[in-house]
Amino acid sequence: MPSLGRFLEMIEAISRRDWSAIEKIGKAAATDEREKKHYQAAHKISQALEVALSRAGIEDSIGTVASPLLPLADIPSLLHEFKADDKPSPVLSQEILNSVDELIGEWRHEERLKAKGISPRRTILLHGLPGCGKSHLARHIAKTLNLRLFVIRFDNLISSYLGETGSNIRKVFDFIMNNRCALFIDELDAIAKQRDDRNELGELKRVVITLLQNLDISAGKSILLAGTNHAHMLDSAIWRRFEIILELLPPKRKERIAIFSLYLENEIPTNIYDALSQASEGLTGSDIFQICNNAKRKTLIDDSKNIFTHLCFSILEHLDRSATISTDKKTGERKIAAALTLKLLDDKLFSFQDLESLCGIPKSTLHLKYSNLNGSKENVR
């Protein structure tokens, strides 16, 4: 936990109502815990800091970001509201985290910026593979800034009638221009495809033009976020309309372990750190979330095994499902790593014959890999 010195610094900053110092001290404390691999403690500190800073704006100088929870006028049926939830903050790479923190800082000092004729950046494009956290990050930004978050309902937006889709887009932008909120356009490529695509109808090309025009004239009263899994399909002019462009990649080794710890609400044992990292290589944050939930279910039903054992079973099940729709050559290596994680958790509980049955990898291969991993020459049981 934070040191006595850090705690006293925080108390002093609170007494001065110095929110900038409170934010700095809180982030430093979370970073200290994260470096100690106390991921759960770091997460709790970050969450408490977010809550404190969002509430601070009601009485202090966060600008007008706290106002959006007031009733909004004429919410069109074209929009669906994402209700705030208790989902933990996303685990991000340091580069993405820095960009998000900078954006949030701009909006918290909105009035100071506007006094100098500058506005916070308000258009953010998130792109990357499915499951890498685009929707999660959009929710996080809106929640941190105390903004109500809306998403476009494409089933209502896109119409077969000539000109009606463009009209619907204008209604959406009229709403965000006249209200203070956050709008998330998920699957942006559905209405922003390249106009030089010969397979697209003229009507869809006019939709792109309408979207571009509205992006140009919309006021800086709300935040606009957009996400796509198919960045290559976007019209080139769309890219220039976004002030912040973030590519969300599958989490790296350290980030994956942090996500496992976060969703399991348990610190990962150090003796399985390397093997678990190898078993989860290539998984997205969404994959890990589903795997951890599955492990929790298994543990509640069968508490004869600990949650980390059930986690390995869940990873193997996920890899089996993935193998039916993918030809990833590394699936075998990940299965080996997941099986060896079980062995590292309890050397006596699982024989190499048991592990072969679980993952389909020959026991001789598993034994060799385990010997190399442990630096030992055990006999095959």
Side-chain angles (χ1 to χ4, degrees):
M1 294 303 292
S3 65
L4 176 61
R6 186 89 71 192
F7 179 75
L8 293 175
E9 286 178 4
M10 179 65 81
I11 293 295
E12 183 183 352
I14 292 172
S15 69
R16 301 194 312 268
R17 302 186 72 78
D18 185 345
W19 299 109
S20 177
I22 290 170
E23 182 175 19
K24 183 177 179 181
I25 295 166
K27 286 183 177 179
T31 299
D32 289 345
E33 295 304 309
R34 201 173 290 114
E35 288 176 351
K36 296 174 186 175
K37 298 183 180 178
H38 299 163
Y39 300 114
Q40 193 65 22
H43 169 64
K44 288 181 178 179
I45 292 172
S46 297
Q47 269 197 325
L49 183 63
E50 284 180 14
V51 171
L53 290 173
S54 65
R55 290 175 179 170
I58 296 174
E59 300 175 359
D60 293 288
S61 58
I62 287 184
T64 54
V65 171
S67 66
L69 293 183
L70 297 173
L72 300 179
D74 302 323
I75 301 175
S77 60
L78 301 165
L79 298 177
H80 168 71
E81 184 173 1
F82 271 164
K83 298 295 184 180
D85 56 31
D86 295 327
K87 197 170 184 181
S89 303
V91 176
L92 305 168
S93 68
Q94 193 59 51
E95 182 181 1
I96 298 294
L97 183 62
N98 290 342
S99 297
V100 172
D101 286 347
E102 189 174 350
L103 170 71
I104 290 170
E106 290 175 13
W107 279 87
R108 286 195 172 130
H109 296 93
E110 179 187 12
E111 295 302 318
R112 186 186 302 177
L113 291 176
K114 286 190 173 181
K116 298 294 184 180
I118 305 171
S119 295
R121 289 172 293 176
R122 58 177 181 78
T123 52
I124 305 101
L125 175 61
L126 309 174
H127 67 100
L129 296 174
C132 284
K134 295 180 287 295
S135 298
H136 193 176
L137 180 53
R139 286 175 182 251
H140 168 70
I141 291 173
K143 180 181 177 182
T144 303
L145 293 177
N146 204 21
L147 292 166
R148 289 173 67 177
L149 177 64
F150 294 89
V151 62
I152 288 181
R153 296 180 56 177
F154 281 107
D155 55 338
N156 288 349
L157 182 83
I158 297 176
S159 172
S160 59
Y161 293 103
L162 185 66
E164 189 165 334
T165 302
S167 176
N168 287 338
I169 289 174
R170 284 191 291 273
K171 289 178 184 177
V172 168
F173 277 87
D174 284 345
F175 174 76
I176 66 170
M177 287 171 64
N178 294 305
N179 294 280
R180 194 165 181 79
C181 61
L183 174 68
F184 181 46
I185 307 177
D186 200 7
E187 308 297 344
L188 178 64
D189 48 278
I191 55 172
K193 287 184 179 179
Q194 295 181 23
R195 284 168 288 173
D196 60 1
D197 187 344
R198 295 180 180 179
N199 295 319
E200 292 297 345
L201 301 174
E203 170 68 358
L204 288 178
K205 294 180 181 180
R206 286 190 287 273
V207 166
V208 176
I209 294 172
T210 300
L211 177 61
L212 291 170
Q213 290 173 339
N214 279 277
L215 284 170
D216 284 336
I217 66 174
S218 60
K221 198 170 185 179
S222 297
I223 288 182
L224 173 66
L225 303 110
T228 180
N229 301 330
H230 306 288
H232 62 284
M233 296 175 63
L234 295 180
D235 190 277
S236 58
I238 288 290
W239 292 89
R240 297 196 299 273
R241 266 65 178 189
F242 286 90
E243 297 157 295
I244 300 175
I245 298 174
L246 301 176
E247 181 180 11
L248 301 187
L249 300 171
K252 295 180 180 178
R253 169 190 170 103
K254 185 177 180 181
E255 294 156 12
R256 292 196 301 276
I257 295 298
I259 297 172
F260 276 119
S261 178
L262 181 62
Y263 287 137
L264 290 177
E265 301 178 56
N266 278 281
E267 298 293 335
I268 304 300
T270 54
N271 67 315
I272 66 167
Y273 190 105
D274 289 340
L276 183 60
S277 297
Q278 294 172 30
S280 59
E281 184 183 352
L283 296 183
T284 66
S286 178
D287 292 333
I288 296 175
F289 174 72
Q290 293 176 26
I291 288 169
C292 289
N293 274 355
N294 194 29
K296 288 179 180 179
R297 281 191 290 267
K298 289 178 182 293
T299 306
L300 288 171
I301 295 170
D302 175 16
D303 60 2
S304 66
K305 301 179 181 66
N306 67 39
I307 194 167
F308 299 110
T309 299
H310 285 301
L311 176 66
C312 295
F313 291 158
S314 297
I315 292 174
L316 287 169
E317 289 173 7
H318 177 86
L319 292 173
D320 282 336
R321 288 196 304 272
S322 300
T324 63
I325 58 175
S326 171
T327 56
D328 190 343
K329 296 179 181 179
K330 292 187 176 180
T331 297
E333 296 175 14
R334 292 166 187 154
K335 284 187 174 183
I336 291 172
L340 296 186
T341 306
L342 286 169
K343 191 73 172 170
L344 290 168
L345 284 168
D346 192 331
D347 183 37
K348 296 180 180 179
L349 183 61
F350 296 99
S351 69
F352 287 106
Q353 185 67 52
D354 295 331
L355 297 180
E356 179 178 349
S357 300
L358 282 170
C359 69
I361 304 295
K363 62 182 182 182
S364 57
T365 301
L366 293 169
H367 180 264
L368 178 61
K369 293 286 186 180
Y370 186 71
S371 297
N372 292 338
L373 186 66
N374 253 15
S376 61
K377 300 292 181 181
E378 300 179 4
N379 294 322
V380 177
R381 283 192 266 163

